[in-house]
Amino acid sequence: MAEYHDESPVIVAKEITLASMEKLQMPGSRTPEVMGELYGKLYKTILKHIREAVQEGKYD
């Protein structure tokens, strides 16, 4: 599990998304618009889960 050091959930979600971009192979077209939309959805999902985890006190 990653450490959480009172950073903004937005920064944490961005770092996770950027790290995953190297490892994930998304299906479909590789145009910038499609890739941007796919990673945008991934970012929003990660951010949602981080915010929920912080609100529930899963990270101190």
Side-chain angles (χ1 to χ4, degrees):
M1 182 176 281
E3 293 182 20
Y4 177 74
H5 297 286
D6 294 328
E7 291 185 27
S8 166
V10 173
I11 294 172
V12 175
K14 182 179 177 183
E15 289 178 6
I16 292 170
T17 304
L18 290 173
S20 69
M21 288 175 79
E22 300 172 358
K23 299 178 189 242
L24 293 178
Q25 294 181 0
M26 298 287 195
S29 175
R30 297 284 181 199
T31 63
E33 295 82 19
V34 172
M35 295 305 290
E37 184 177 328
L38 290 173
Y39 285 114
K41 289 179 183 179
L42 176 62
Y43 168 78
K44 289 177 184 177
T45 302
I46 292 170
L47 181 59
K48 175 185 161 215
H49 288 285
I50 291 172
R51 286 183 174 156
E52 289 174 359
V54 170
Q55 287 176 351
E56 293 173 6
K58 291 185 178 180
Y59 299 98
D60 296 330

